[in-house]
Amino acid sequence: MQFRSALALFGLASVLAPTAPAFAAKDTLTIGIAQFPSSLHPDIDAEVVKKYADGFVIRQITAFDKDWKNSCLLCTELPTIQNGLAKIEDLPDGKKGIAVTIKLKPDLKWSDGVPVTTKDLAFTFKVGKDPNSGFSNVNRWDRATKIDVVDDHTAVIHMTGITPSFNQWDEIIPEHVEGPIYDKATGAGEYLKQTLYNRAPTSAGLYDGPYKITEYQSGAQIVMEPNPYWSGTKPGFKRIILKHIENTAALQANLLSGDVDMVAGEGIGLTIDQVLELRKQHPDDFTYIFKPSLTYEHVDLQKDNPIFKDVKVRQALLYALDRKTLTEKLFQGLQPVAATWVNPLNPNYTKDTAQYPYDLAKAKSLLAEAGWKPGSDGICRNAAGDRLSFELSTTAGNRLRELQEQVLQSQWKAACIDATIKNEPPRTIFGETLKKRIYPGMVMYGWSSAVTESPLRTLGTSQIPTEKNNYGGANYIAFSNPDMDAAIARMDSELEPEKQKADWAIAQKIYADQVPVVPLFFRSEPHIVPKWLKGYEPTGHGDFACMWSENWHAE
């Protein structure tokens, strides 16, 4: 009954405009986004919306494509052991490492016309190794001990050990623009404050992609125009506009009125129930793409909250949720329930972990074992009289997340658990609340991972954001487990797939047993694009379609 009442309160039908436009301006593409980046520095802050915005204007050295294969974006050839661009070498401590040769494309230029060279690569390595910089890369620069610059387009990166991600490298930043700023920065956090990516993101020379940012209105929109020095495929639009409309119902109305042409499906646009309803009401007006993805929706727990100290309480939180019915009712079965952060699509997935099917009696039993008994108001209390009550937060204005909150709140109440909803703007949650862990109870959100990315960034002890490391890293739950760290270290230093898989299984078992978060489901990316847009190919993983936006064009 609680589930049905929550659905009735937050009905799935959306207010729809009567018709959708047949065409939009063919030289301008306006994309609606429900979140706005808290920064634009490509290597600082692990935000989905920031990575999406940067994907149009600045390129990673390598990225996984739509077929989930690693490929070169800035390099001429992907380094492998087989082609000799990656070689096992002896390290001074007697261990083995890998020397990785990166050959940059010779015709790359920054948006001010200055060539992209290995000086930029060496500079990015220098900043990325600095713990005060706040870097939070998927593919960390501290995996390397040094870089030998051979010439303007060739450099050899010497890895700290054997790691299967040796040919996966993120964005580089312009030494001639950011170098003087970094050199003047003193103390933790100073570079982040002074970088032009945050202070003046329309500055010349910050971008090496097919587009450059020409207009930036904080919290409102980002305007991009072709980079005149881009040497690749000529971009198909004179302008791409990222228009921020935080309320997803308003975003939907803007789509139908023609004020925006498309909505990004990477978790920063409309919710999947809205897109399903749109498809039902307007089946022929847009192209609808539902792409299975690695984006993981879950609820982080504040580890310092006394309520969550007992693993029995954490397990009870899961047993009390009917996640299967939730996904079937809200998403028509398109978003599968998650057991851990590892999607069944991932080759390293294992099904041999603790499972928590809906079992209200089991939830109540575990709470009783942990010392929580129902009070006169229906909410559990412990021996000291403390109520089993906490705050539950998510991104304000996201209608589906707010509905999910109502469902969780209702189902937990049936198990004598009180969740009080208190939401925040996305920029606050991702810019401050999560990385500084200043939430008192829970935060619900999603993050996307790369195809073969290990959980170091989100579960490794070294990646816990602190003031000392300028809140770099994305281990927002401050999870610290020596067995997990050891498994991650092994999977990050093993080239044999089967041995990697064994350690992935260990890590998933630890995660499922310890329940540091409440896993919910894996998203299916709901993309809505105009029928005239061609060349658009969603990836379903952390390297987004916008990284190939030069191929987008109007028919």
Side-chain angles (χ1 to χ4, degrees), residues 233-413:
T233 300
K234 182 180 179 180
F237 293 97
K238 291 182 179 179
R239 300 179 96 206
I240 291 182
I241 301 172
L242 302 184
K243 186 174 182 179
H244 178 222
I245 304 170
E246 187 171 298
N247 184 281
T248 54
L251 174 55
Q252 178 176 276
N254 275 257
L255 174 70
L256 289 168
S257 70
D259 288 337
V260 300
D261 299 311
M262 63 172 277
V263 177
E266 286 87 352
I268 55 173
L270 291 180
T271 54
I272 191 171
D273 67 311
Q274 290 174 305
V275 179
L276 288 168
E277 186 66 22
L278 271 173
R279 185 176 65 171
K280 179 180 177 182
Q281 298 290 334
H282 301 269
D284 301 321
D285 294 335
F286 302 97
T287 297
Y288 300 92
I289 303 170
F290 295 89
K291 181 73 172 179
S293 82
L294 298 181
T295 301
Y296 171 50
E297 190 82 2
H298 61 288
V299 183
D300 278 4
L301 309 181
Q302 173 54 263
K303 66 175 292 185
D304 294 327
N305 187 319
I307 289 175
F308 305 132
K309 294 287 187 181
D310 193 328
V311 69
K312 291 181 179 179
V313 173
R314 302 196 298 272
Q315 292 171 338
L317 289 169
L318 271 174
Y319 278 119
L321 295 180
D322 188 355
R323 295 172 293 165
K324 187 174 185 293
T325 299
L326 182 150
T327 60
E328 289 174 350
K329 293 290 186 181
L330 296 188
F331 318 127
Q332 298 182 18
L334 289 172
Q335 305 201 129
V337 171
T340 72
W341 83 97
V342 183
N343 193 305
L345 295 172
N346 190 311
N348 293 309
Y349 167 80
T350 179
K351 64 182 182 197
D352 298 325
T353 62
Q355 303 294 313
Y356 298 92
Y358 175 57
D359 189 335
L360 186 57
K362 179 72 171 177
K364 291 180 177 180
S365 175
L366 284 168
L367 290 176
E369 291 176 23
W372 296 95
K373 306 293 175 61
S376 58
D377 60 354
I379 302 303
C380 281
R381 283 174 164 79
N382 61 15
D386 300 321
R387 297 175 82 245
L388 183 46
S389 180
F390 49 80
E391 286 185 3
L392 171 61
S393 301
T394 193
T395 48
N398 186 311
R399 198 187 66 84
L400 184 55
R401 280 220 176 107
E402 291 170 349
L403 175 57
Q404 289 168 202
E405 281 183 313
Q406 294 288 329
V407 174
L408 299 186
Q409 182 186 51
S410 179
Q411 293 187 349
W412 277 330
K413 188 174 182 179

Side-chain angles (χ1 to χ4, degrees), residues 82-318:
Q82 290 73 19
N83 65 19
L85 293 179
K87 297 179 180 180
I88 306 296
E89 65 178 357
D90 294 321
L91 300 178
D93 60 3
K95 298 180 180 178
K96 299 290 185 181
I98 304 180
V100 183
T101 299
I102 300 292
K103 294 185 176 182
L104 296 176
K105 294 177 180 178
D107 50 359
L108 298 171
K109 291 184 178 179
W110 296 102
S111 49
D112 58 359
V114 174
V116 176
T117 72
T118 49
K119 289 182 181 178
D120 303 308
L121 181 63
F123 170 66
T124 306
F125 166 74
K126 175 184 175 182
V127 182
K129 290 275 285 185
D130 182 356
N132 289 325
S133 69
F135 265 40
S136 180
N137 293 86
V138 172
N139 299 302
R140 301 169 355 269
W141 291 97
D142 62 6
R143 294 175 298 161
T145 57
K146 66 175 181 175
I147 290 182
D148 293 330
V149 173
V150 178
D151 56 41
D152 280 351
H153 302 108
T154 308
V156 180
I157 303 175
H158 298 275
M159 310 292 289
T160 57
I162 303 293
T163 172
S165 64
F166 65 84
N167 57 7
Q168 300 171 30
W169 297 97
D170 292 341
E171 301 90 346
I172 56 177
I173 53 179
E175 189 275 338
H176 70 288
V177 176
E178 291 287 286
I181 297 171
Y182 173 76
D183 290 340
K184 292 179 182 178
T186 57
E190 190 62 26
Y191 171 60
L192 179 58
K193 295 176 184 177
Q194 299 302 324
T195 172
L196 289 184
Y197 286 107
N198 290 344
R199 287 196 302 114
T202 60
S203 299
L206 291 177
Y207 308 109
D208 60 3
Y211 291 92
K212 64 177 182 178
I213 294 176
T214 57
E215 183 183 330
Y216 177 87
Q217 298 177 31
S218 181
Q221 68 177 20
I222 300 172
V223 179
M224 296 168 284
E225 297 178 358
N227 174 2
Y229 300 101
W230 170 254
S231 60
T233 300
K234 182 180 179 180
F237 293 97
K238 291 182 179 179
R239 300 179 96 206
I240 291 182
I241 301 172
L242 302 184
K243 186 174 182 179
H244 178 222
I245 304 170
E246 187 171 298
N247 184 281
T248 54
L251 174 55
Q252 178 176 276
N254 275 257
L255 174 70
L256 289 168
S257 70
D259 288 337
V260 300
D261 299 311
M262 63 172 277
V263 177
E266 286 87 352
I268 55 173
L270 291 180
T271 54
I272 191 171
D273 67 311
Q274 290 174 305
V275 179
L276 288 168
E277 186 66 22
L278 271 173
R279 185 176 65 171
K280 179 180 177 182
Q281 298 290 334
H282 301 269
D284 301 321
D285 294 335
F286 302 97
T287 297
Y288 300 92
I289 303 170
F290 295 89
K291 181 73 172 179
S293 82
L294 298 181
T295 301
Y296 171 50
E297 190 82 2
H298 61 288
V299 183
D300 278 4
L301 309 181
Q302 173 54 263
K303 66 175 292 185
D304 294 327
N305 187 319
I307 289 175
F308 305 132
K309 294 287 187 181
D310 193 328
V311 69
K312 291 181 179 179
V313 173
R314 302 196 298 272
Q315 292 171 338
L317 289 169
L318 271 174

